[in-house]
C-alpha cells in the first residue's frame, strides 16, 4: 500500500517568515528615510540612477543615509554628494585592481580548486535556471500535473517499429515524446514478494491470454499453470521439475557434477537468448548464477514482460541486424533453447556476434531440433553451423539428444592456426569494445582488447567482484580508487535503507538495529541504476545481503566503465537516456539516479528533464521508489517535476556533503476502472 511521505524540510516556514520580516523592515526603513529626505529639501532632483546604487548597501556600510550633513544650499549638497560618489568609485576600482593583482600572484593550487569548484557551482546553477526557463517557455500547462495516457499505451515500448516481415526493429529518433503517464492495466495488482513472486504472477499484470499460454509449445511455456487470476511456473514444483533436470544435464555435458558447480567452473553470468519466460534463469538464481534474459519485442505474450514480472533480469534485445549494447567478452555462458534464431543464416554473422559476447573459455549451449535432424535439409544446416564454430575456434564438448555444448578457445593462438579463407579478425578500428546498436560485423571481434582472460583464470564468485591490481590497471583504476568508491556506497546503502525501511517494512515492524526481514518481506527484487559508474551501488547491495539484482546502466554521455562492471560479475548495458530504455512498463521496484542530472543536463540539451522523468515513471512499477542524488539546484528542479508526475517526494540533506541532496520519491498506485 502506498504511504505518503512528509513533504518539505522542517524549518522551511520559519526561514520564509524571517525573509518576509527582513523585507518588511527594509521597506519601512526606506520609506521613512525617503520621507525624511523629502522634508529636508524638496528641491533636490537627484536622478534615480544616482540614488539607486546606494540602496544596494546597508546604512552602516556606506554612511550616506545616517545623519546626513546639511551643508549650505541644496545645490551645494548635490555637488558634495557627486564628489563623494566619484571618489568612492575611483577608490573601489583601484582597490579591486590591486587586490586582483595580488590575488593572482598568490593563487595556490588549492585556491585554483576552489575557484574551479565555484565555477562549477555557477555552471550548475546556470543549467538549472536554463532548464526552468525552458519549462516555463513551454507554457503554464507544463507545470500542471500530467494526464494519463490512453489505455492502448499501457504496454507501450517506444523505439520499436515493424521492419521487414513481422519483426520489430529498434529505431529511436529524437522527437517530442508523449507527455502522459502510462497507467497499469485494469485489475493490476502489486507483484507478490519474493520468493513467492518468482514463481507466481498475476494474470492481469501482463499482456497474455489464457489461449496463448495453453497453445504454446516451447520448453518453458509448457511449465506454466494457469488459473483464474494467477500464472504459476512449475519449475518450483516437485511434481514437474524439468528445468532442474535440464540444468543438471548441461552441467554433466560440461563435465561438472551438477549446476551448483557452475561457479567453480568460472560461470557467473549467463545470457539467455529467447529465454521463454525465464525459468532457466530463475532456477540458476538460487545458485548465485546471474542470468540475463533477452528476446525480441512482442506486442503481446512477451517473454521479456513475463520474466520481468517475476522480478528476474531481462530486457528487449535482438540478434536480427544489430550488435547488442554489451561490451565484448561479457558473459561466461550463452544459452539458446529453441530460441528461434537461425544460426546458419546471415553468412555466420549471428554466430560472430555470439562469439564477441562470450568470454574466452566460455560455453555456448544450444538446444534445437536442428542438431538432431533426420531430413537432409536440416542436416545440411546443422553442418553449416558445426563447421562455422570450428572457424570461430569453438570446440564441441558434447551432444545429448537436441542439446549441444560448445566451448570457446581460452587462448588466442588458435586463430593463427586456422585454415586459409577463415573469417578474419577485426582490426583495431572495427573491434569496438562497447558498440551501441552497430551493424553486425563479418569479422571476429574481442581479440584486440586487453581484457582477454579465460574464465578458468578469473577469480571465482563472489571474489570476482573485487578485481585485483592488474585487472584494475586494464580499466585505468587503482585499488584505492575502487576501495574508496566501495566504502562510499556502503555508507550510502546503509543510509538509504534507514530512510526507506520504516515504510517498506511497515507491515512487518522491526525495531532499530534489527536485521531487515528476510524474504518474502523484502519488496525490492530488482533495481535500475541509471548511472552505475564502477558498479559500486550494486556491490554494496550484495555486501549488505539484499536479495536483489541490479541493471547497471552506463550512459553514453559519460565515461564508459561497463567493461569493468561486467568483469566484476554484474550485468549492465550501454544506453542513451534521451532514448527509451528497452523494456516494458512497470519493470523495476527501485530506480537509483546518482549524478545523472548533472551528467545529462550539463551538455547541449537533446531532451528535457521532464522527458527523462516521464521515462522513469514508465519503467517504475506502482508503489515503486526513486532515489535521486545530485546538486542542490538540480534537486530543486527535480522536486517540481516530481509534483507534476504525482510522485510523493521528500528532500533529504546529506550530512557528509553540503552541496548535494537526496530526493526520495514514491510512485503512487492509481487504479484504473474498467469502462
Amino acid at each position: 500500500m502506498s504511504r505518503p511521505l512528509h513533504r518539505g524540510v522542517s524549518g522551511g516556514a520559519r526561514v520564509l517568515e524571517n525573509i518576509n520580516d527582513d523585507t518588511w523592515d527594509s521597506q519601512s526603513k526606506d520609506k521613512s528615510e525617503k520621507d525624511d529626505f523629502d522634508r529636508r529639501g524638496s528641491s533636490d532632483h537627484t536622478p534615480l540612477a544616482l540614488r539607486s546604487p546606494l540602496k544596494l548597501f546597508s546604512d552602516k556600510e556606506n554612511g550616506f543615509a545616517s545623519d546626513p550633513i546639511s551643508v549650505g544650499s541644496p545645490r551645494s549638497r548635490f555637488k558634495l554628494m557627486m564628489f563623494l560618489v566619484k571618489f568612492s568609485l575611483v577608490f573601489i576600482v583601484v582597490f579591486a585592481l590591486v587586490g586582483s593583482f595580488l590575488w593572482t600572484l598568490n593563487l595556490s593550487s588549492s585556491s585554483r580548486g576552489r575557484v574551479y569548484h565555484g565555477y562549477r557551482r555557477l555552471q550548475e546553477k546556470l543549467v538549472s535556471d536554463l532548464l526552468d526557463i525552458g519549462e516555463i517557455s513551454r507554457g503554464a500547462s507544463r507545470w500542471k500535473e500530467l494526464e494519463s495516457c490512453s489505455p492502448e499505451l499501457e504496454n507501450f515500448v517506444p523505439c520499436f517499429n515493424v521492419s521487414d516481415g513481422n519483426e520489430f526493429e529498434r529505431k529511436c529518433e529524437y522527437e517530442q515524446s508523449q507527455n502522459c503517464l502510462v497507467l497499469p492495466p485494469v485489475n493490476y495488482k502489486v507483484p507478490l514478494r519474493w520468493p513467492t513472486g518468482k514463481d507466481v504472477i498475476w494474470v492481469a499484470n501482463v499482456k497474455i491470454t489464457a489461449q496463448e499460454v495453453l497453445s504454446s509449445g516451447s520448453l518453458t511455456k509448457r511449465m506454466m499453470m494457469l488459473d483464474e487470476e494467477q500464472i504459476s511456473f512449475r519449475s518450483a514444483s516437485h511434481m514437474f521439475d524439468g528445468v532442474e533436470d535440464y540444468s543438471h544435464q548441461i552441467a554433466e555435458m560440461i563435465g561438472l557434477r551438477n549446476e551448483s558447480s557452475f561457479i567453480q567452473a568460472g560461470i557467473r553470468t549467463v545470457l539467455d537468448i529467447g529465454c521463454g519466460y525465464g525459468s532457466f534463469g530463475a532456477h540458476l538464481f538460487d545458485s548465485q548464477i546471474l542470468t540475463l534474459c533477452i528476446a525480441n519485442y512482442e506486442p503481446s505474450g512477451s517473454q521479456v514482460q513475463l520474466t520481468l514480472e517475476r522480478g528476474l533480469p531481462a530486457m528487449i534485445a535482438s540478434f536480427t541486424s544489430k550488435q547488442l549494447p554489451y561490451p565484448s567478452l561479457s558473459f561466461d555462458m550463452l544459452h539458446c533453447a529453441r530460441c528461434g534464431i537461425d544460426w546458419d543464416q546471415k553468412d555466420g554473422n549471428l554466430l560472430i556476434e555470439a562469439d564477441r559476447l562470450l568470454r574466452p573459455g566460455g560455453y555456448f549451449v544450444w538446444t534445437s531440433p536442428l542438431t538432431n535432424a533426420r531430413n537432409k535439409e536440416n542436416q545440411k544446416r546443422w553442418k553449416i553451423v558445426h563447421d562455422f564454430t570450428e572457424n570461430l575456434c569453438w570446440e564441441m564438448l558434447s551432444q545429448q539428444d537436441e542439446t549441444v555444448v560448445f566451448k570457446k578457445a581460452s587462448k588466442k593462438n588458435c586463430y593463427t592456426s586456422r585454415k586459409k579463407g577463415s573469417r578474419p579478425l577485426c582490426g583495431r578500428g572495427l573491434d569496438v569494445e562497447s558498440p551501441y546498436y552497430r551493424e553486425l560485423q563479418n569479422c571476429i571481434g574481442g581479440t584486440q582488447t586487453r581484457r582477454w582472460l579465460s574464465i578458468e583464470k578469473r577469480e571465482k564468485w563472489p571474489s570476482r567482484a573485487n578485481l585485483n591490481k592488474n585487472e584494475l590497471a586494464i580499466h585505468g583504476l587503482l585499488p584505492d580508487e575502487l576501495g574508496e568508491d566501495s566504502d562510499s556506497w556502503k555508507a550510502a546503502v546503509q543510509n538509504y535503507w534507514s530512510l526507506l525501511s520504516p515504510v517498506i517494512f511497515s507491515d512487518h515492524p522491526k525495531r532499530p538495529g534489527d536485521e531487515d526481514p528476510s524474504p518474502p518481506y523484502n519488496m525490492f527484487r530488482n533495481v535500475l541504476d541509471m548511472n552505475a559508474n564502477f558498479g559500486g551501488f550494486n556491490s554494496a547491495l550484495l555486501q549488505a545481503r539484499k536479495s536483489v539484482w541490479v541493471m547497471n546502466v552506463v550512459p553514453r554521455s559519460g565515461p564508459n566503465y561497463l567493461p569493468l562492471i561486467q568483469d566484476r560479475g554484474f550485468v549492465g548495458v550501454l544506453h542513451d537516456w534521451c532514448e527509451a530504455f528497452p523494456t516494458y512498463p512497470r519493470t523495476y521496484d527501485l530506480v537509483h539516479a546518482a549524478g545523472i542530472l548533472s551528467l545529462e543536463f550539463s551538455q547541449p540539451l537533446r531532451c528535457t528533464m521532464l522527458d527523462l522523468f516521464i521515462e522513469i515513471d514508465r519503467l517504475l512499477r506502482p508503489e515503486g521508489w526513486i532515489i535521486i542524488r545530485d546538486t542542490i539546484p538540480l534537486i530543486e528542479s527535480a522536486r517540481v517535476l516530481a509534483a507534476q508526475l504525482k510522485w510523493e517526494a521528500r528532500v533529504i540533506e546529506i550530512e557528509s556533503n553540503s552541496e548535494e541532496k537526496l530526493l526520495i520519491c514514491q510512485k503512487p498506485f492509481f487504479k484504473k476502472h474498467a469502462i
Side-chain angles (χ1 to χ4, degrees):
M1 179 176 178
S2 177
R3 297 178 180 271
L5 291 169
H6 298 290
R7 296 180 180 274
V9 180
S10 61
R14 293 194 297 272
V15 173
L16 182 60
E17 182 181 352
N18 294 338
I19 292 173
N20 291 337
D21 291 342
D22 293 342
T23 304
W24 173 254
D25 292 342
S26 177
Q27 290 173 351
S28 301
K29 188 175 182 180
D30 288 347
K31 183 177 180 181
S32 63
E33 288 177 357
K34 182 177 183 301
D35 294 340
D36 183 57
F37 188 77
D38 289 342
R39 288 195 300 269
R40 284 189 172 94
S42 59
S43 61
D44 184 3
H45 301 290
T46 305
L48 179 63
L50 294 178
R51 293 201 303 263
S52 296
L54 300 180
K55 292 185 180 291
L56 296 176
F57 304 95
S58 66
D59 296 342
K60 186 177 179 180
E61 289 175 345
N62 55 48
F64 291 143
S66 301
D67 298 324
I69 303 173
S70 177
V71 182
S73 65
R75 184 179 183 86
S76 300
R77 291 198 302 270
F78 174 75
K79 289 182 178 180
L80 177 61
M81 182 175 291
M82 289 298 297
F83 172 76
L84 293 175
V85 168
K86 291 178 180 179
F87 178 80
S88 299
L89 290 175
V90 172
F91 177 78
I92 291 171
V93 171
V94 173
F95 181 79
L97 290 175
V98 173
S100 176
F101 178 73
L102 295 176
W103 174 77
T104 303
L105 293 178
N106 293 279
L107 190 63
S108 62
S109 58
S110 60
S111 63
R112 289 193 190 97
R114 289 193 295 271
V115 171
Y116 175 73
H117 193 65
Y119 170 76
R120 283 200 62 188
R121 292 190 64 181
L122 289 173
Q123 186 184 45
E124 290 165 354
K125 177 61 177 173
L126 175 62
V127 170
S128 175
D129 292 343
L130 289 174
L131 288 171
D132 293 341
I133 292 171
E135 296 295 339
I136 293 172
S137 66
R138 294 175 185 270
S141 61
R142 290 291 296 248
W143 294 98
K144 297 179 181 178
E145 289 187 345
L146 295 177
E147 300 295 330
S148 302
C149 298
S150 57
E152 57 266 21
L153 296 180
E154 65 185 25
N155 292 292
F156 176 62
V157 181
C159 297
F160 285 90
N161 303 302
V162 178
S163 59
D164 297 335
N166 295 322
E167 292 184 349
F168 285 81
E169 184 176 353
R170 183 184 184 277
K171 185 178 181 181
C172 281
E173 298 178 354
Y174 301 130
E175 56 187 14
Q176 185 66 30
S177 60
Q178 299 188 23
N179 289 340
C180 60
L181 303 180
V182 177
L183 288 184
V186 177
N187 300 323
Y188 177 88
K189 297 181 180 180
V190 173
L192 298 171
R193 300 181 175 187
W194 271 14
T196 305
K198 191 165 57 176
D199 296 302
V200 180
I201 65 174
W202 301 108
V203 175
N205 291 9
V206 294
K207 192 174 182 180
I208 188 171
T209 64
Q211 184 61 33
E212 287 175 317
V213 173
L214 298 175
S215 62
S216 175
S218 71
L219 176 66
T220 54
K221 292 180 183 179
R222 287 200 306 267
M223 298 176 189
M224 298 166 59
M225 298 177 62
L226 182 71
D227 64 19
E228 187 174 341
E229 290 190 335
Q230 295 179 338
I231 298 176
S232 300
F233 298 87
R234 299 187 185 182
S235 60
S237 170
H238 296 290
M239 296 184 300
F240 184 70
D241 218 349
V243 171
E244 182 175 351
D245 293 339
Y246 176 67
S247 303
H248 190 81
Q249 176 189 359
I250 293 173
E252 289 183 337
M253 294 173 70
I254 292 175
L256 305 174
R257 182 176 180 180
N258 52 46
E259 63 272 24
S260 62
S261 302
F262 279 164
I263 291 289
Q264 298 304 316
I267 300 171
R268 157 64 179 170
T269 56
V270 178
L271 184 65
D272 195 1
I273 306 166
C275 54
Y277 297 139
S279 295
F280 183 63
H283 176 70
L284 295 180
F285 194 88
D286 294 332
S287 299
Q288 300 187 59
I289 306 296
L290 191 57
T291 304
L292 176 60
C293 158
I294 63 170
N296 294 336
Y297 170 74
E298 301 168 275
S300 64
S302 166
Q303 303 173 62
V304 170
Q305 188 182 37
L306 265 74
T307 302
L308 289 168
E309 188 65 25
R310 301 176 68 179
L312 298 167
M315 63 176 286
I316 301 171
S318 173
F319 268 88
T320 53
S321 60
K322 303 289 179 65
Q323 288 185 311
L324 299 179
Y326 314 120
S328 300
L329 317 183
S330 284
F331 298 95
D332 305 313
M333 176 185 286
L334 267 63
H335 175 253
C336 167
R338 301 187 180 184
C339 60
I341 294 181
D342 297 323
W343 296 106
D344 59 313
Q345 301 299 311
K346 298 200 174 183
D347 199 25
N349 289 347
L350 298 175
L351 281 170
I352 286 178
E353 175 65 3
D355 178 81
R356 182 187 72 84
L357 298 172
L358 194 60
R359 286 197 177 97
Y363 301 93
F364 182 83
V365 180
W366 184 28
T367 298
S368 170
L370 198 66
T371 63
N372 197 26
R374 301 292 183 181
N375 63 72
K376 292 184 178 181
E377 180 63 26
N378 286 341
Q379 288 177 351
K380 181 180 178 180
R381 293 178 62 191
W382 160 236
K383 187 176 186 305
I384 291 174
V385 174
H386 181 272
D387 293 345
F388 199 85
T389 57
E390 292 182 349
N391 192 323
L392 296 173
C393 287
W394 290 6
E395 176 189 1
M396 192 175 83
L397 294 183
S398 178
Q399 179 176 2
Q400 291 185 16
D401 300 325
E402 296 182 350
T403 301
V404 182
V405 177
F406 296 93
K407 183 178 175 64
K408 181 176 178 176
S410 299
K411 298 181 180 179
K412 294 182 183 179
N413 56 12
C414 169
Y415 297 112
T416 60
S417 60
R418 295 178 301 160
K419 299 178 182 178
K420 290 184 178 180
S422 297
R423 197 60 62 94
L425 305 182
C426 293
R428 293 191 178 275
L430 292 176
D431 196 358
V432 179
E433 188 166 47
S434 297
Y436 187 71
Y437 299 108
R438 192 176 62 159
E439 296 294 327
L440 290 172
Q441 303 296 301
N442 60 2
C443 56
I444 300 175
T447 60
Q448 303 293 336
T449 177
R450 296 168 58 198
R451 295 170 48 241
W452 184 283
L453 183 67
S454 67
I455 62 174
E456 295 90 353
K457 293 185 178 180
R458 290 185 180 273
E459 291 288 339
K460 305 300 184 290
W461 181 261
S463 299
R464 182 191 288 191
N466 300 310
L467 301 182
N468 60 42
K469 181 179 179 180
N470 295 332
E471 291 172 320
L472 287 175
I474 294 175
H475 300 281
L477 293 178
L478 297 173
D480 290 345
E481 293 179 88
L482 189 64
E484 291 176 5
D485 183 75
S486 298
D487 292 341
S488 173
W489 283 114
K490 285 179 186 176
V493 166
Q494 185 177 4
N495 186 30
Y496 292 167
W497 229 254
S498 66
L499 292 169
L500 295 177
S501 58
V503 183
I504 296 173
F505 304 117
S506 58
D507 58 344
H508 185 83
K510 69 186 188 75
R511 291 185 296 273
D514 289 352
E515 293 295 327
D516 293 335
S518 58
Y521 297 105
N522 190 352
M523 273 304 295
F524 288 162
R525 307 162 303 166
N526 50 21
V527 177
L528 178 71
D529 193 357
M530 297 179 65
N531 186 22
N533 200 32
F534 304 152
F537 183 54
N538 188 344
S539 177
L541 286 172
L542 295 180
Q543 291 185 45
R545 299 186 181 277
K546 310 302 179 187
S547 56
V548 299
W549 66 270
V550 179
M551 176 60 77
N552 296 280
V553 181
V554 174
R556 294 189 69 200
S557 54
N560 181 15
Y561 287 107
L562 187 56
L564 167 68
I565 291 171
Q566 300 283 161
D567 287 352
R568 297 184 71 181
F570 309 144
V571 293
V573 64
L574 198 65
H575 184 63
D576 183 344
W577 278 117
C578 279
E579 300 175 356
F581 194 74
T583 190
Y584 291 86
R586 304 172 298 279
T587 290
Y588 292 98
D589 301 326
L590 171 66
V591 173
H592 178 249
I596 189 66
L597 303 182
S598 297
L599 179 64
E600 292 292 343
F601 299 107
S602 63
Q603 307 177 27
L605 300 180
R606 294 178 292 109
C607 57
T608 67
M609 193 183 295
L610 180 60
D611 294 331
L612 179 62
F613 276 46
I614 291 174
E615 176 62 6
I616 293 174
D617 187 86
R618 186 184 72 87
L619 301 177
L620 198 65
R621 68 165 179 81
E623 297 190 358
W625 296 83
I626 310 102
I627 300 177
I628 302 174
R629 177 171 179 165
D630 226 300
T631 59
I632 295 175
L634 291 173
I635 287 294
E636 294 301 327
S637 297
R639 187 178 188 178
V640 173
L641 296 180
Q644 281 189 267
L645 274 69
K646 308 173 187 177
W647 295 347
E648 298 288 343
R650 182 182 180 185
V651 176
I652 306 293
E653 293 190 359
I654 303 174
E655 293 183 1
S656 60
N657 190 338
S658 62
E659 297 180 358
E660 291 185 342
K661 285 186 178 181
L662 292 177
L663 180 64
I664 299 182
C665 309
Q666 186 178 27
K667 176 180 176 179
F669 183 4
F670 294 108
K671 291 189 177 182
K672 184 170 59 177
H673 301 287
I675 300 175

